[in-house]
Amino acid sequence: IHVRSLEKMLDRIVALDDRPLSAARPIDKRLVGRCHHFVQLMVGILRGQGIPARARCGFGSYFNPPKFEDHWVCECWNATKARWTLVDVQFDDVWRTKLKIDHDILDVPRDRFLVAAMHGIEFVNLRGVWYIAGNLVRDVASLNKVEMLPWDVWGAQPRPNETLSDDQLAFFDRLASLTREPDTSFDELRKLFEDDERLRVPATVFNSLLNRSEPA
């Protein structure tokens, strides 16, 4: 789950089973991953076909209702509907049955996945404004085509359970406003990401699961 690049993910998949990617793999020949990896693969596939796509970092309502849990989905341009749609390719029939998912996973309703909200990961007791702020920073990076691991930490991201100052709250409120409708504010979002060292991904980030610094 710590593999970052799409290239390395594909290398692992082919090393386990060198058949075409369209061939379904048995359980013991599959790449282990989480929501971020499903999204990264989907984004790569769509972009390869000339379809605009981007990873979105936020919170889903369909894991542990009524709570919203940390999650990633793909946002892609639907030319037929002339709008961006949220696509959650992680869910096969087994997932959908177990979690009682009744919405269209190829067009997830905007009230079922939130790109900025007061939620977290319930089963490990991660929640609060500090956690949402970290996801906002990752979402800004994703919108700028820098898709990081969900536990990568850098720059403006607060420490666990940190109480945010008024200046920090104002900064993250601005990010939430820009990322909510990124198409209407993308020039500003792009410039902010490039110019603000609190947002720009450095050469080295902190992997909070492995508790060590790693090359980005």
Side-chain angles (χ1 to χ4, degrees):
I1 61 173
H2 296 284
V3 175
R4 283 192 172 80
S5 72
L6 179 57
E7 290 82 0
K8 288 184 178 180
M9 290 167 62
L10 292 173
D11 286 345
R12 292 277 185 91
I13 292 171
V14 175
L16 290 167
D17 187 329
D18 62 2
R19 291 179 297 163
L21 294 177
S22 56
R25 266 69 170 165
I27 295 296
D28 61 340
K29 297 294 184 180
R30 296 181 187 178
L31 175 72
V32 175
R34 51 155 286 158
C35 54
H36 168 268
H37 296 90
F38 284 88
V39 170
Q40 197 163 350
L41 279 166
M42 184 64 178
V43 168
I45 290 169
L46 291 173
R47 288 177 181 170
Q49 295 296 317
I51 299 172
R54 55 201 183 192
R56 299 307 306 266
C57 176
F59 305 90
S61 68
Y62 33 91
F63 296 96
N64 187 26
K67 298 179 174 67
F68 282 73
E69 303 282 357
D70 178 75
H71 192 44
W72 290 61
V73 300
C74 172
E75 189 172 44
C76 59
W77 181 254
N78 187 312
T80 302
K81 297 179 180 179
R83 63 176 172 85
W84 289 95
T85 56
L86 298 176
V87 178
D88 200 337
V89 294
Q90 178 173 336
F91 296 105
D92 58 10
D93 290 340
V94 175
W95 269 99
R96 295 169 72 182
T97 299
K98 292 292 186 182
L99 294 178
K100 298 180 173 61
I101 294 175
D102 56 5
H103 60 263
D104 185 355
I105 62 171
L106 302 181
D107 191 359
V108 179
R110 294 284 170 168
D111 62 348
R112 305 302 302 275
F113 180 85
L114 306 180
V115 294
M118 292 277 294
H119 310 290
I121 307 179
E122 178 66 18
F123 74 92
V124 287
N125 199 31
L126 294 175
R127 64 172 73 88
V129 176
W130 70 271
Y131 191 88
I132 297 157
N135 266 7
L136 277 169
V137 173
R138 296 183 192 98
D139 195 39
V140 170
S142 291
L143 287 168
N144 284 277
K145 292 187 175 182
V146 185
E147 299 87 7
M148 304 299 293
L149 292 175
W151 39 82
D152 282 337
V153 179
W154 72 92
Q157 296 180 53
R159 293 180 176 275
N161 300 312
E162 178 180 338
T163 299
L164 274 61
S165 68
D166 289 343
D167 287 344
Q168 285 176 297
L169 290 172
F171 175 72
F172 290 119
D173 277 346
R174 182 186 178 194
L175 294 186
S177 177
L178 292 173
T179 57
R180 179 167 181 162
E181 297 289 344
D183 292 334
T184 63
S185 56
F186 186 74
D187 289 344
E188 182 180 358
L189 192 62
R190 181 67 174 172
K191 188 175 190 309
L192 190 63
F193 179 72
E194 291 177 341
D195 295 345
D196 194 325
E197 62 181 10
R198 294 174 295 177
L199 298 175
R200 188 172 59 250
V201 178
T204 300
V205 296
F206 184 73
N207 184 321
S208 60
L209 279 190
L210 298 181
N211 196 35
R212 69 188 188 195
S213 296
E214 295 181 342

